[in-house]
Amino acid sequence: MATETHSDAAAASAPGMPQLDFSTFGNQIFWLLVALAAIYFVLSRMALPRIASVLSERQGTITNDIAAAEDLKAKALQAEAAYDKALADARMEAQRIIAAAKADIQSDLDAAIARADAQIAEKSAESEKAIAGIRESAMENVKIVARDTAKEIVSALGGKPDAKTVNAAVDSRLKG
Amino acid sequence: MATETQGEGGGLEFHPMDQFIIKPLFGGDAVNWYTPTNATLWMALAVLAVFALLVLGTSKRSVVPGRVQSVAELAYGFIYKMVEDICGKDGVKYFPYIMTLFMFIVFANFLGLLPMAFTPTSHIAVTALMAFAVFFGVTILGFVKNGASFLGLFWVSSAPLPLRPILALIEVISYFVRPVSHSIRLAGNMMAGHAVIKVFAGFAAIAAIAPLSVIAITAMYGLEVLVSFIQAYVFTILTCVYLKDALHPHH
């Protein structure tokens, strides 16, 4: 076991395990320490800080992007609100215009109706008057015709028509 | 037996353990403590692989990572989360040590899967050094951080009083067995897998069962890929658990 050379050691331990050849332990331990120290140096000086910074940078980028996205979303909401407000305003304006137009039309209509009513009233008054005139003249005619007829009938019956009496009789009949 | 020539005899000659022999890289026979050996070579390759993945792979520092950088970040996040989950926030400052162990083991394991490669982690000397480093480091840290109350780790205060001395004895034994199991688990797994593949490869010398042997090697290789990662993971997670015991010794 204590032999220095590999072949002797192998011969001594054969067909055993090279793992138990203690003559190589010092060598392995030395080189393992060198390797681990090298890896530790590489990791702690270069690799790990770099990866950590890359990861935190990425985290920062992601956070920033999310914040920017939130911002844009807020802006979009604002824009939507402004749009809605503009729409509502426009709608209100339209309502107002419609109401005003309606009121105008209504007043025009009212005036036109009033005028038309006045004209109609005037016309009907005229007609009324014309009708009254016609009626009066008709009454006169009837009176004349009745007097004449009554005179004719009296004379036809052989009487002597007295103009005054006949007229009085006709008048009293027509009134009654 | 050991003098027979390797793998040239044909027929059924198994040398499944020859792949673990440590040889000087540049000829000669003597393996002094400073001699560059095949173990040195493959450890150096593991270091280079770690460097390539974690330093060269992340050299662009892209916010949207490429392939290599994603793997490096994945490894970082994997171990970082493990340390944070198991040891808590105050364990995070030991993360570089744990990451060192994990990266070394995982690359030594995977590089060892290359044909003709040597696997440093299949040697008990290597795994025992790491396991004892963890053991002593964690024990010293426990005493430095908690003083004598670190011994509370062995005193199960939630158990009934008469049972506690017995449990304490068991806890102490299990505590001292930790580095042994910790190291043999890794070395044993790596050695067994490689040896089994080699045995199957030996059977390939017989033409009749050669196809079967090739299929078996393929299957074992797949299994070994899995084992390589799982053993690195297990070694690391146990290190974290031991570290947690040192930082928070009370059950």
Side-chain angles (χ1 to χ4, degrees):
Chain A
M1 280 299 172
T3 46
E4 272 300 309
T5 60
H6 146 70
S7 53
D8 288 352
S13 61
M17 300 163 58
Q19 278 87 347
L20 298 180
D21 178 1
F22 293 101
S23 66
T24 64
F25 271 32
N27 178 277
Q28 290 191 66
I29 289 170
F30 168 67
W31 287 113
L32 174 63
L33 289 176
V34 171
L36 289 181
I39 292 178
Y40 178 73
F41 179 81
V42 166
L43 289 189
S44 60
R45 290 296 153 84
M46 300 192 252
L48 299 186
R50 181 185 294 174
I51 295 174
S53 79
V54 168
L55 290 182
S56 67
E57 193 179 313
R58 177 172 315 143
Q59 196 58 48
T61 310
I62 289 170
T63 313
N64 283 347
D65 285 0
I66 287 174
E70 292 284 337
D71 233 39
L72 291 177
K73 196 179 166 193
K75 265 183 200 156
L77 283 178
Q78 251 171 27
E80 199 190 341
Y83 165 78
D84 280 349
K85 192 172 171 307
L87 200 64
D89 282 357
R91 204 165 272 155
M92 240 152 70
E93 182 72 11
Q95 296 286 1
R96 203 181 57 70
I97 291 170
I98 289 171
K102 229 178 226 170
D104 273 4
I105 291 169
Q106 193 63 47
S107 67
D108 282 0
L109 196 62
D110 284 350
I113 287 173
R115 208 161 46 225
D117 278 352
Q119 276 176 3
I120 289 168
E122 200 177 315
K123 287 261 171 169
S124 63
E126 262 171 39
S127 308
E128 205 85 22
K129 215 189 276 170
I131 290 169
I134 290 170
R135 194 177 274 157
E136 228 148 274
S137 67
M139 199 51 93
E140 273 316 297
N141 288 344
V142 166
K143 217 185 260 177
I144 292 167
V145 170
R147 277 179 195 161
D148 287 352
T149 310
K151 276 176 196 161
E152 284 301 321
I153 291 170
V154 169
S155 63
L157 288 175
K160 213 158 179 244
D162 179 14
K164 234 178 207 165
T165 319
V166 170
N167 282 357
V170 169
D171 284 352
S172 70
R173 278 286 169 158
L174 281 173
K175 260 171 205 156
Chain B
M1 292 262 284
T3 52
E4 60 202 5
T5 51
Q6 294 178 19
E8 289 174 11
L12 273 184
E13 280 185 33
F14 297 126
H15 303 286
M17 304 309 276
D18 280 5
Q19 58 181 322
F20 302 119
I21 292 173
I22 293 190
K23 303 187 239 1
L25 263 188
F26 305 110
D29 269 341
V31 179
N32 294 313
W33 63 268
Y34 53 82
T35 316
T37 59
N38 48 355
T40 312
L41 171 67
W42 289 95
M43 286 183 198
L45 289 177
V47 174
L48 284 181
V50 172
F51 184 81
L53 175 64
L54 293 185
V55 177
L56 301 184
T58 60
S59 56
K60 276 194 282 181
R61 296 163 176 271
S62 0
V63 170
V64 179
R67 258 182 261 173
V68 183
Q69 195 183 324
S70 321
V71 174
E73 285 170 8
L74 216 61
Y76 180 97
F78 179 60
I79 302 301
Y80 192 90
K81 198 170 173 320
M82 190 194 290
V83 174
E84 201 177 33
D85 285 353
I86 296 176
C87 306
K89 284 277 176 205
D90 46 350
V92 164
K93 62 171 173 257
Y94 307 104
F95 163 64
Y97 301 102
I98 291 168
M99 186 78 176
T100 302
L101 284 179
F102 176 76
M103 293 315 291
F104 175 74
I105 295 170
V106 87
F107 273 108
N109 287 353
F110 275 119
L111 288 172
L113 284 176
L114 296 174
M116 310 302 289
F118 175 86
T119 319
T121 41
S122 66
H123 273 260
I124 194 75
V126 168
T127 59
L129 179 78
M130 293 190 290
F132 275 104
V134 169
F135 177 74
F136 286 117
V138 159
T139 308
I140 292 168
L141 186 73
F143 277 112
V144 168
K145 283 254 169 194
N146 306 291
S149 78
F150 179 55
L151 295 173
L153 180 63
F154 305 115
W155 197 252
V156 189
S157 47
S158 57
L161 192 61
L163 274 181
R164 286 185 204 170
I166 305 165
L167 283 178
L169 185 68
I170 295 171
E171 289 278 334
V172 169
I173 293 173
S174 82
Y175 189 81
F176 282 99
V177 169
R178 276 179 180 181
V180 179
S181 62
H182 202 187
S183 58
I184 289 180
R185 181 181 300 113
L186 174 57
N189 267 292
M190 298 320 295
M191 185 190 76
H194 285 71
V196 166
I197 287 180
K198 202 76 172 177
V199 169
F200 282 139
F203 277 117
I206 303 171
I209 55 170
L212 197 64
S213 165
V214 170
I215 291 170
I217 290 173
T218 312
M220 274 308 293
Y221 195 93
L223 189 64
E224 280 306 291
V225 171
L226 215 67
V227 167
S228 289
F229 181 77
I230 288 172
Q231 286 307 318
Y233 173 71
V234 166
F235 193 98
T236 315
I237 205 163
L238 282 176
T239 305
C240 290
V241 169
Y242 299 161
L243 182 62
K244 185 211 74 178
D245 281 347
L247 296 174
H248 316 284
H250 304 288
H251 290 278

